[in-house]
Amino acid sequence: MRTVLPGKPLAKLQAVCTGQYEGKRLIVSIAMGEDLGKGNLAYISSNALVVLTAADNVLQTIYNDEEEGLEAVILDEASGKFATCSGSNVYIYRPYGREEGTLKGGAKIDLGVSDGMISTLSWGNDEELLVGSNSLTLVATNGGQSVLWTIKLANPAKFALFSYDASLIASTGKYDRLVKLWRRLSYGSDEVRFDFTYLPHPSTVTGMHWRRPYHREQTIENVLYTLCADNTLRIWAPTNVHDLQILQLWAVIDLQESIKPRHLFAGAQSSVRLAFIIDSRDFTLATERAVQRSPKGEQEHHALEHLIEVANRSPEVCVVLDDRGNMSAWGIENVGCKSRKTTDIFNIAHVEGLKLSLLKDAVEDERYVQFLNFCGDGPTADLTLLAHHFDGRVEWIQGRVDELFDPSPRKQRLESKCVWSGHAGPIKKIVRTATGRALVSRTSDNEGLVWKQKLAPNDTTLIRQSAVKVPEHIHRTCVLNEGDFVVFLHHESISLWDTRSTHAIHIATCKYEIEGRPLCLILLPEVEPVAKLAHVATISSDMKGIAWEVRPPAGKATNGAANGQGHECPLREFARFDLGTQDDLCFVLPVDPAGSDVTISGFVDTFARDVAISYTNSGVLRSWTAKVDHEDRDMHWLITSTVETGIDNPSLASGTSIRKIALVDAEKTELTIWDSRGAQLEYKERFETQEIIQDLDWTSTPDSQSILAVGFPHRVLLLSQLRYDYLNAGPAWASIREIRIRDLTPHPIGDSIWLSSGNFVVGTGNQLFVYDKGVKFTDELICDLRLPSHQLVPEDLFTVVTRLNGPLPIFHPQFLAQCVLSGRPMLVQRILINLHKKLKFFGDGDELDSFLGIPLEDFLTTGEEDQTKSIKAKTREHSSYIDFVDDDESDTFTEAVAAAINEKLARVAIPQLSGQEQIHLTGIIECVGTVERHRRSMDDNASRYLLFFKEHTLRKGQIANEQVNLSWREIVWAFHCNSQEILVDLVSRQSQGKLLWENARESGMFMWMRDLAALRAQFEVVARNHYTRTNEKNPIDCSLYYLALKKKNVLLGLWRMASWNREQVATRKLLSNNFQEPRWKTAALKNAYALLGKHRFEYAAAFFLLADCLKDAVNVCWNQLNDIQLAITIARVYEGDNGVVLRELLEERVLPRAAREGNRWLATWAFWMLNRRDMAVRTLVSPVYTLLERTESPGLEARLFLSDDPALVVLYRQLREKTLQTLRGASKISPRVEWNFVLHNARLYDRMGCDILALELVRNWEFLRQPSEKTRAFALPPDPRLMLRRRSSLVVADLPSPQVIAELKTGGITKSTPTVFEEPETNSLLDSFGF
């Protein structure tokens, strides 16, 4: 935590106290508060008790539930108890948690001992507490609570303080000039007695201080310092023990004469005097620290030498200040000596230019400052001052004592570590500027505070700049000019305030009327920044809007209201606009600027920066951009994106200017994150029902990586975006930090906001907590985020998020895999060869170039150019010169090179990779070596499949919840390859010649095999292996497979040998019948249904096949076995690829499932199986559900980012030129759609960290030629081959004849062939299948 703003301190004399307990410095403060039970809060509290241990560490916040406010607080250093009072009650809090390493205050004790309003408290010995009100009361708090002594006072007590040995009490009343000194006469008896004397003063006593011993056990003479309204410090000491007076006046210090400015002009003189005492123990300790911290070799440090000389005299120090920066320090020694010398009070220093934040323009009651001081115990501890300003601040000031008292001029003597301040009521809303350098926090009673961010090299703090008290209800807020001006939107007016001074000044108000309820206040970005000019706008629930022009004054503003007339009016109406009617509108809100500038380009298009988002009750998100037209005094609005989320009645949304939108459902428990540019879902999580999402805040790193803060009542979860990972289906977002405030305060969070530096501000109750960018990582988090655990993990939030995103090194396994998918095997080999060379001399701690020395332009070539370069390289390799080259430096990648690289990777850790990624890299390298061995006998698609099949085999079982089957992406690559025989052989060998259905399903073999004869032969191999996989050789295990092959007689022969099976006789008898007869078909069906009832689903499907009911068998595989591959395979084996059941299965089951899941790989395979190759190409570009007529509404899964895959663009480029049908399908894709498709995939590459591949894609992409105007004019059927930019003789002519099209459209009924060929309509082929 960087900064603590614990609330507005109470303007009371005992509102702040400090002390040392068990080596820990504690500061206890009373923060003002109002009714914290307003709104949705759970309880009522009038004041908060804040316990702090350092400038940036809150130990605990305790809320008092009494109606009357807290008045005073005091800490007992011996027991750790602190006491506070409210009205006539005293509350004592005991410390707990010391054994667990924490310290909290709890076990509240209520002492109702007073007969009036308590105003002062003081601790004595043995946990005795002195209570001052209309009387003085001494209470014992150790064990039971008992009143030891009480006496009535003439006036209510203002001060009542124990001396440190608890033998004396000094008390005085309000406006009293007499200090009553009480001396304790009896100890340890049942009756406690005091006598008293008076210490007269000429004017009202304003302060008292008892001399503090070095430690509590030390016995010293009691000395009392009193401050009086006559600007005089009086020192009372026991100079004559035989005198009737307990203490005698020993000396006086005239505070007014103590400061004599060197300048004689009127402004240098001031009558304000503030004074405090630094006890001898703190002064001596601070001097020792200054000596220890003085630079070595520092010579002629006269100030330090003088200070050492003074400290050797062990004096108390009286520090006198005025409000002009002047200070004088006086040493007081030998106090109580009967023969006082004039040198006993001596001047230590007189300095000027002391910068303390004393308010000169504040009202009289707020100008008073009370000082507490101490010196910490740490080796680097300095003298610390706590300045309690009665305007509502406590300032922590510290510095070296030698620099403070150095008489020579200095720019800075003391450093302000923090200022504790805040609100008097619960924080309701926090709004920041576009840059995040200033913010406004406001309460429910229309009180606002303007804060500015103060940046330091190692620190970030918030400084209170101004306070705003608005008489009207604040509906929305907008901050201008880095916090110098604030605009408030009210229900019927808008007002402008100048917040450059301590108290904000009202500048202007403009009345307005609008249809509907105003929903937001948006700061509009400017095309060119204009000094002292801004535009703000509101949008109502009827989508009507008003824009205002704001011209803040340059000089000092004066209170007043403007009517909106005149050119130089600071606030006037600029334009009105109408965004259309949206009856379903739920809300409109401005986007979080996420660190972006407040200026935009001069174009209003979809590339412009978003300024607002809207969402409807049906879950439709829209992003808006706007431009201010100064010439026509108008506003231009444009919808940049529309996302249909399918989430009804969303309760909360938040967008960012870089096209990310977070949405919360109606129950406030489910969070979804959307990429509005691509209209895709990136993240979805449902939290527990008791965790209500109540706030969403966006920020971004300097390189535009998004971070989302999700606010709950007592915690905030920080989510970071991650790189897309399509190969492992990895998440796109992850939690990187959790902020919990329940240990600090019981109050729920009101609001939170990001600062530009990455610091996070949390407003809870009347307090603000500023958290820094530090991130503490556990081993589990490092593993989940795939961070490098073998080196120091960066603890800066922005650095970590950048590490999780951004460009990948070219040897990263994801980059290598995408290179393989994009058809760049030669580039992969070159990368691995260079990696091999670099690793030869690589050791732990060395840096590894992310590009491995490969020029950037080599990544921007095509796969064909890579092949040409490879051939030329091999030609050079066989030249005579190559004989003199070392074999180890060969540029050929082989399995031996792969083994050498992996051997090196097993010994060293690469800095850019996590441990899991390095293991993944070794698997990729091994697989590339295996593929290279078979390179000459297979095409690129077979190589793609084999690579990922081998990698899947290696990684299977290493990662929990690893996918069991290969994805449909790999299946499609193998489906379109021309080397399927080799793949079948390799897959079979992978299972050691015992290919079972589980192995076949894992590899997707029966989905990608195109040759039906080979498919049936391989299916028979599976049947045979299932029969022989056990020693029993049970025919039931292979029944489904043999009956699908229509080999009942083979199955019957196997049953003849199964004499051990109790079902043998009945099954042999049943199988011996002719199942073409209806009687035996019925018998087979009865057995099938009986087996379904017994949950023997696979055997039931076999009996359905025995009854020639293929559709029922397929349904059992689909519904009961939930095995889509088995259902498709049985249909293909039983009736071929043109069967009715297979067609119905693909049309009614597979394609709707692909639409629901957004699985374009499955959809393109299904369309190709249906001989709809044009649709197989179109589904690669468009979402599946947009191409089907009869399909249910797609769910969130279909909108997930995983439904997109940049490998789709590779397959699209390959398939569109393969056949005439695919060319016809590509021709139905408009150039604009194809353009957006290519750009979308380039953005996917960028999000994956493969920026180079994105650049290569857009650089080398070729669009198809469009039909000529002549062809369009005469409606001639264009030849699809004319769309190709390069002539090719490999395009397969597979377009159906017009007669076939007519038969398909009429359901198989042949019609007469038309005399003139008619071009089919765009959707004619879809209509033929009933889509």
Side-chain angles (χ1 to χ4, degrees), residues 631-784:
E631 295 182 359
D632 299 334
R633 296 188 65 82
D634 197 5
M635 294 293 306
H636 303 293
W637 291 82
L638 177 68
I639 298 177
T640 57
S641 64
T642 301
V643 182
E644 296 183 3
T645 65
I647 300 175
D648 295 329
N649 302 315
S651 60
L652 189 63
S654 179
T656 177
S657 55
I658 51 179
R659 304 294 176 87
K660 302 292 182 186
I661 300 177
L663 194 66
V664 180
D665 67 346
E667 299 177 356
K668 297 185 179 182
T669 57
E670 183 178 82
L671 172 68
T672 53
I673 300 177
W674 300 81
D675 178 8
S676 60
R677 189 189 302 272
Q680 58 189 11
L681 175 65
E682 293 189 345
Y683 179 81
K684 175 186 175 184
E685 183 171 354
R686 180 172 291 277
F687 298 93
E688 298 179 2
T689 55
Q690 65 268 23
E691 290 191 308
I692 303 300
I693 302 174
Q694 62 183 23
D695 191 25
L696 300 169
D697 296 290
W698 288 97
T699 190
S700 65
T701 63
D703 56 346
S704 297
Q705 310 296 344
S706 297
I707 307 172
L708 175 64
V710 185
F712 300 92
H714 294 281
R715 70 183 183 113
V716 179
L717 197 64
L718 302 187
L719 300 176
S720 166
Q721 73 174 39
L722 306 177
R723 298 186 190 95
Y724 285 167
D725 186 0
Y726 289 98
L727 299 179
N728 303 305
W733 290 79
S735 171
I736 59 173
R737 186 181 180 186
E738 184 181 23
I739 297 173
R740 290 186 174 271
I741 60 125
R742 192 181 289 275
D743 293 337
L744 304 177
T745 172
H747 203 284
I749 296 174
D751 198 9
S752 56
I753 205 75
W754 288 97
L755 296 177
S756 61
S757 58
N759 291 16
F760 191 66
V761 181
V762 178
T764 169
N766 60 343
Q767 300 175 328
L768 287 173
F769 300 106
V770 184
Y771 290 87
D772 57 17
K773 296 189 294 183
V775 181
K776 302 298 182 182
F777 286 99
T778 62
D779 293 339
E780 182 181 359
L781 187 59
I782 289 176
C783 181
D784 293 341

Side-chain angles (χ1 to χ4, degrees), residues 1129-1145:
T1129 303
I1130 288 176
R1132 294 187 68 188
V1133 170
Y1134 195 85
E1135 62 175 2
D1137 288 344
N1138 297 319
V1140 177
V1141 174
L1142 178 62
R1143 180 176 294 274
E1144 183 180 345
L1145 176 64

Side-chain angles (χ1 to χ4, degrees), residues 793-808:
V793 179
E795 295 185 354
D796 179 80
L797 179 66
F798 282 176
T799 306
V800 171
V801 174
T802 301
R803 169 69 178 82
L804 297 173
N805 297 274
L808 292 169

Side-chain angles (χ1 to χ4, degrees), residues 12 52 98 471 549 633 786 1112 1137 1160 1298:
K12 300 289 184 179
L52 305 101
R98 285 169 289 179
E549 182 181 81
R633 296 188 65 82
R786 298 185 177 182
D1112 294 326
D1137 288 344
R1160 299 187 190 180

Side-chain angles (χ1 to χ4, degrees), residues 452-470:
K452 278 199 172 183
Q453 180 181 233
K454 180 183 177 182
L455 294 176
N458 298 318
D459 196 9
T460 300
T461 59
L462 280 181
I463 303 299
R464 193 183 81 175
Q465 175 171 293
S466 182
V468 189
K469 185 64 177 179
V470 184

Side-chain angles (χ1 to χ4, degrees), residues 57-222:
N57 184 31
V58 172
L59 185 67
Q60 189 179 13
T61 301
I62 303 172
Y63 286 94
N64 183 34
D65 54 2
E66 297 297 325
E67 295 182 1
E68 298 177 346
L70 298 178
E71 184 73 18
V73 64
I74 194 70
L75 172 68
D76 183 17
E77 292 184 329
S79 64
K81 292 181 179 179
F82 49 91
T84 184
C85 56
S86 172
S88 59
N89 296 318
V90 178
Y91 309 102
I92 300 175
Y93 297 89
R94 293 176 176 174
Y96 70 92
R98 285 169 289 179
E99 294 79 6
E100 293 79 10
T102 61
L103 182 64
K104 300 289 183 181
K108 172 181 172 183
I109 303 172
D110 186 0
L111 302 177
V113 297
S114 177
D115 58 352
M117 297 292 294
I118 302 174
S119 57
T120 181
L121 300 170
S122 181
W123 286 102
N125 288 335
D126 297 328
E127 302 180 23
E128 294 178 349
L129 180 65
L130 179 64
V131 181
S133 59
N134 293 332
S135 60
L136 288 182
T137 305
L138 185 62
V139 184
T141 65
N142 53 348
Q145 290 80 43
S146 60
V147 177
L148 301 178
W149 172 76
T150 184
I151 190 169
K152 194 76 173 179
L153 298 176
N155 292 327
K158 177 182 178 181
F159 296 107
L161 303 178
F162 262 122
S163 63
Y164 279 89
D165 61 359
S167 63
L168 299 177
I169 298 175
S171 69
T172 185
K174 192 174 184 181
Y175 306 119
D176 276 359
R177 65 181 187 86
L178 295 176
V179 173
K180 188 174 288 188
L181 197 63
W182 305 82
R183 177 170 52 189
R184 190 165 184 172
L185 302 177
S186 61
Y187 291 89
S189 62
D190 293 337
E191 182 181 0
V192 176
R193 293 180 298 110
F194 286 83
D195 66 350
F196 68 91
T197 60
Y198 289 103
L199 304 180
H201 293 74
S203 184
T204 304
V205 178
T206 59
M208 294 191 300
H209 175 81
W210 285 103
R211 182 166 66 172
R212 184 191 301 266
Y214 279 83
H215 49 82
R216 295 191 66 88
E217 292 76 16
Q218 182 184 10
T219 301
I220 61 173
E221 292 183 342
N222 291 310

